[in-house]
Amino acid sequence: MSKLETGRILFILIDDDDVNNTISQLIIKNAWAEAETVTFTNARAALEFLQDAFTETDRINQSGIMFLNITMPVMTGWEFIDQFEKLPDDIKTRIKVYVLSASLDYRDIDRSRINKYVLEFFPKPLTVEIVRSVKAKLTLGGYE
Amino acid sequence: MYSLDSEFRYVNFNRLLKNMLLQVYNIEISVGDIVFDFLYRDEPEQAEEWREIYARALNGEAMQFVKEFVFGRIRTFVKFYVNPIKEHSLTTGLFCMAIDITKERNAETAIARNESRFRALTENNFDGIMVRDINRSLVYASPSMSRMIGFSQLEVSALTDSELTVHEHDVPKLKKLYEDATRFPGIPFGTRLRMRHRLGHHIWIEGVMTNMLNVPNVNGFVCNFRDITERVEVDTQNEMISRDLVKRNENLEQYAYIVAHNLRGPVANLLGLANLIELPSVEAQDRERAVQHLISSARRLDEVIKDLSSILQMNEEINQHKESIDFEELTKNVTSSIENVVTGKNVKIEVDFSQCPKIVSIKSYLYSVFHNLISNSIKYRKDNTGTVIRIHSKSVNGKLLLVFEDNGLGMDLSSYGDKIFGLYRRFHPFQAEGKGMGLFMVKTQVEKLGGKISVQSSVGKGTVFTIEL
């Protein structure tokens, strides 16, 4: 596995729709073979992962790209963002959050636009082009 | 003023008479002229009439009469007094007066005309007018008013207070109206209330009451009002229409939501899977997975479309007729339709409809309610050991209660609240089966039947749905 300048990237996929997670996973695999992916059908479990596993030694320097769905049972995407905000800065700054939603509802799109943690709203499905564009932004922007 | 001798010759006259005759007839009179002579030239009939009048007066009769003179467009009324002058019971001459009473006459005519105009206004007016005295007893009721409440014109004056009642709900309004009017004389106070019609129903009237107790010749509460029953009916209808429109609009928003969130989901999956299959770099086994998912996504899309059409149909079904429904039979029908779901899961359904065995309602709705609630209890059972669903009916305060109780997984309602009845809301993280449609349907149908649904639940213990119909 060749090393990227940005380190080994971790894609965090959060969607209660398993089929969509599978699609995203396979698209990422084909667009960025070196990247790692984790999937969650429950946003609360994703939050626990960020709090625990993401701070373990083997991931301590890892950066993440998150594709977050909005309309989900148990915890919606927005409820997740509210909890995400409470995480320590060293976790937050390592993760780029994107919304990946089937919604065509302008309210969801507007809300994504004004939310300080959401970088962009993407309509489902995830495509190779989207993965390339977030990758390009990562390489260009680097990390703070 | 003038006086005549026994031969109708002027004995004397005042300047006023002289000027008047000069002006009107262009004749200059002098003492000794026969009073009606000049008339013989142009108006011989008038001359004869005057001769007769003076002759009668000379016979001792005191005369008083009004004569009308028309000169061009001017009408003049003159009142004449012709009195005999007696000396020792013998009439020796006549003392006469002519007074112009045109002004007074015109005033009288004006009053008469005003009076009849007023009558025409009050009696032919579309609006009703009524006057009540200080004791609130009827003093005057216009014919239009009696017509409004179903009495003939002849019966107006005979209307009694008991025939003039308002709807019992409007009694406080009327009381308030009298109080306001009493407190502020001269100020009209408006109201809208129901008056009893002769035939027993009520008509809506709108109008004003003015306290004119202190106004001479009125001395009462004057009420002007009109029949607005038709308008109120139209208003009520409009209100119903706008309520219906609001509801329809809500439904449209709901559909828009479904389209944005739930139709888009499976479509996005189909697109994503198609993209994957087309990718040249994709491995054979991944492509095979994608094809599998393609099928399941297409099925899911089909289900959402079916849901949508059943919601749409539900809105049409409200016009369906109601029928007597036996709860026990309904439960049997539902359980036999889901037999394949029940089998092998060790589910027991216990019913007790002895208190209220039947209801008159829309069968398809109740069927759907039972179907969804029973299916839910099975779907969210703890395990396959001893799931019990208890359904019973009872009557409380004239309402029928249907209680669905299970010993399943239960939910934490403190964090979901009312959301559990929302469309496409799912709350059981580990039960992928639920698509968030059932409870939405149940709530909508119960509400369409005019009822209410409530839920109690605790995690690990079970759930109780109570329907009030």
Side-chain angles (χ1 to χ4, degrees):
Chain A
M1 205 173 280
S2 66
K3 275 253 177 195
L4 277 159
E5 283 173 27
T6 50
R8 190 161 172 256
I9 206 82
L10 176 68
F11 277 93
I12 303 156
L13 309 174
I14 308 172
D15 192 342
D16 62 309
D17 180 358
D18 227 1
V19 176
N20 184 62
N21 284 338
T22 307
I23 295 168
S24 301
Q25 212 170 2
L26 291 176
I27 287 288
I28 292 162
K29 186 175 162 187
N30 281 275
W32 193 347
E34 300 79 8
E36 188 192 355
T37 52
V38 279
T39 61
F40 300 95
T41 51
N42 177 342
R44 197 169 281 158
L47 203 64
E48 281 160 18
F49 168 82
L50 291 181
Q51 279 165 331
D52 305 333
F54 206 60
T55 50
E56 280 166 17
T57 30
D58 57 329
R59 293 193 189 275
I60 198 121
N61 291 315
Q62 199 172 18
S63 298
I65 296 174
M66 181 185 291
F67 287 111
L68 175 68
N69 186 24
I70 297 300
T71 318
M72 291 184 288
V74 186
M75 185 186 258
T76 70
W78 298 124
E79 285 162 357
F80 173 85
I81 293 280
D82 289 344
Q83 297 303 314
F84 179 81
E85 192 169 11
K86 294 175 190 162
L87 291 175
D89 280 349
D90 72 286
I91 300 180
K92 279 191 284 188
T93 49
R94 283 155 57 206
I95 298 165
K96 304 292 170 201
V97 181
Y98 296 94
V99 166
L100 179 68
S101 168
S103 174
L104 300 173
D105 196 323
Y106 68 94
R107 281 162 289 203
D108 287 337
I109 299 171
D110 283 353
R111 205 166 159 188
S112 304
R113 199 169 289 146
I114 56 168
N115 190 287
K116 76 187 253 205
Y117 294 103
V118 178
L119 296 176
E120 208 171 334
F121 178 98
F122 291 118
K124 283 183 189 175
L126 188 66
T127 59
V128 171
E129 289 73 29
I130 294 174
V131 177
R132 287 196 186 127
S133 89
V134 299
K135 182 182 178 181
K137 274 181 200 157
L138 205 60
T139 323
L140 287 173
Y143 287 111
E144 295 95 312
Chain B
M1 225 189 292
Y2 56 103
S3 60
L4 305 172
D5 64 16
S6 55
E7 286 173 332
F8 314 132
R9 291 175 193 278
Y10 285 114
V11 175
N12 57 35
F13 46 79
N14 63 2
R15 189 183 297 272
L16 221 57
L17 184 80
K18 186 185 165 98
N19 289 344
M20 193 180 92
L21 287 172
L22 190 65
Q23 220 181 325
V24 175
Y25 292 101
N26 196 22
I27 183 165
E28 189 152 354
I29 52 165
S30 37
V31 172
D33 289 349
I34 292 177
V35 66
F36 38 74
D37 259 8
F38 71 94
L39 284 171
Y40 274 109
R41 201 181 61 215
D42 296 326
E43 299 171 61
E45 281 167 30
Q46 281 290 311
E48 274 306 314
E49 206 184 315
W50 278 108
R51 176 190 281 280
E52 246 170 69
I53 290 166
Y54 289 130
R56 276 167 69 184
L58 215 52
N59 271 334
E61 191 178 340
M63 304 190 60
Q64 239 183 70
F65 51 90
V66 174
K67 269 191 158 311
E68 186 182 345
F69 298 92
V70 183
F71 304 102
R73 294 182 58 189
I74 300 163
R75 278 163 176 269
T76 310
F77 293 92
V78 181
K79 188 164 190 177
F80 288 90
Y81 295 88
V82 180
N83 295 311
I85 302 169
K86 294 188 176 176
E87 277 171 35
H88 312 294
S89 77
L90 195 75
T91 309
T92 57
L94 302 169
F95 173 71
C96 310
M97 277 192 294
I99 302 162
D100 185 347
I101 56 158
T102 311
K103 249 187 214 163
E104 289 83 345
R105 250 307 162 92
N106 284 346
E108 268 172 42
T109 320
I111 288 169
R113 200 181 295 141
N114 279 348
E115 164 102 24
S116 57
R117 199 177 285 159
F118 170 75
R119 281 207 176 279
L121 276 175
T122 55
E123 294 180 5
N124 299 314
N125 200 337
F126 187 69
D127 286 7
I129 299 165
M130 147 171 92
V131 182
R132 292 187 167 235
D133 66 15
I134 194 160
N135 301 318
R136 298 175 189 182
S137 291
L138 187 70
V139 181
Y140 171 79
S142 70
S144 48
M145 155 171 180
S146 344
R147 271 198 302 276
M148 257 182 225
I149 56 169
F151 292 90
S152 76
Q153 197 140 351
L154 286 170
E155 293 165 312
V156 187
S157 53
L159 281 177
T160 64
D161 285 351
S162 65
E163 280 167 327
L164 293 169
T165 55
V166 297
H167 194 281
E168 54 178 317
H169 293 320
D170 295 333
V171 171
K173 257 195 214 171
L174 186 63
K175 196 172 160 246
K176 172 97 175 38
L177 192 63
Y178 272 117
E179 282 167 9
D180 288 342
T182 307
R183 217 143 40 105
F184 302 99
I187 296 172
F189 287 91
T191 195
R192 181 190 264 218
L193 42 77
R194 282 155 289 183
M195 252 178 120
R196 213 179 83 95
H197 190 273
R198 183 189 211 161
L199 300 177
H201 63 272
H202 285 89
I203 60 158
W204 276 101
I205 59 156
E206 186 180 69
V208 289
M209 176 188 278
T210 315
N211 173 358
M212 296 176 89
L213 288 167
N214 297 324
V215 177
N217 303 320
V218 181
N219 310 107
F221 295 99
V222 178
C223 312
N224 297 57
F225 51 91
R226 59 176 54 188
D227 186 347
I228 55 156
T229 311
E230 234 169 88
R231 208 171 83 204
V232 170
E233 275 164 10
V234 170
D235 284 354
T236 320
Q237 221 164 3
N238 284 345
E239 238 167 72
M240 266 169 63
I241 290 169
S242 36
R243 224 177 303 150
D244 192 47
L245 283 177
V246 168
K247 186 77 206 155
R248 272 162 205 260
N249 204 39
E250 273 172 17
N251 284 343
L252 278 179
E253 272 173 22
Q254 191 101 57
Y255 303 146
Y257 181 89
I258 295 172
V259 171
H261 293 85
N262 301 85
L263 273 179
R264 244 313 262 161
V267 171
N269 282 354
L270 288 173
L271 282 172
L273 293 162
N275 287 344
L276 266 177
I277 293 166
E278 277 195 331
L279 272 185
S281 61
V282 86
E283 288 167 24
Q285 67 180 62
D286 288 343
R287 183 170 282 132
E288 182 58 32
R289 261 173 91 192
V291 171
Q292 285 303 317
H293 284 310
L294 204 59
I295 296 164
S296 66
S297 291
R299 282 208 188 103
R300 217 181 101 203
L301 179 61
D302 190 39
E303 267 183 34
V304 176
I305 291 168
K306 279 182 188 158
D307 288 351
L308 257 182
S309 80
S310 66
I311 295 173
L312 282 165
Q313 267 171 26
M314 185 166 65
N315 289 327
E316 288 163 11
E317 276 170 9
I318 193 64
N319 297 323
Q320 279 191 0
H321 76 286
K322 293 186 172 184
E323 57 189 299
S324 173
I325 301 155
D326 185 292
F327 289 130
E328 193 146 355
E329 206 182 297
L330 188 69
T331 316
K332 267 183 203 154
N333 288 342
V334 170
T335 45
S336 70
S337 79
I338 52 169
E339 216 180 328
N340 57 328
V341 180
V342 184
T343 326
K345 288 175 184 141
N346 196 11
V347 175
K348 215 163 106 190
I349 300 175
E350 296 175 2
V351 298
D352 178 9
F353 299 119
S354 55
Q355 277 198 50
C356 296
K358 284 179 184 184
I359 189 173
V360 174
S361 192
I362 297 172
K363 195 170 187 176
S364 61
Y365 281 16
L366 269 191
Y367 182 91
S368 164
V369 168
F370 273 64
H371 185 276
N372 275 305
L373 290 180
I374 293 171
S375 303
N376 262 3
S377 289
I378 297 170
K379 208 179 282 172
Y380 303 115
R381 68 192 183 279
K382 266 184 213 143
D383 44 40
N384 287 345
T385 59
T387 298
V388 180
I389 305 168
R390 285 196 188 87
I391 312 168
H392 72 272
S393 60
K394 59 182 171 186
S395 172
V396 176
N397 299 331
K399 295 267 183 188
L400 185 129
L401 294 189
L402 272 172
V403 184
F404 293 77
E405 219 175 327
D406 70 36
N407 58 351
L409 290 170
M411 297 169 277
D412 178 14
L413 290 176
S414 62
S415 46
Y416 304 132
D418 265 1
K419 288 183 192 165
I420 77 149
F421 294 109
L423 183 59
Y424 289 117
R425 301 291 308 211
R426 282 159 297 152
F427 300 96
H428 291 277
F430 310 115
Q431 302 286 317
E433 265 182 287
K435 52 184 180 161
M437 174 79 180
L439 287 181
F440 168 76
M441 287 288 271
V442 168
K443 184 170 195 266
T444 311
Q445 284 166 330
V446 167
E447 282 173 358
K448 290 220 169 200
L449 292 174
K452 279 189 278 191
I453 183 164
S454 59
V455 60
Q456 289 164 287
S457 187
S458 54
V459 178
K461 286 191 173 165
T463 307
V464 183
F465 284 100
T466 308
I467 295 170
E468 188 185 306
L469 282 174

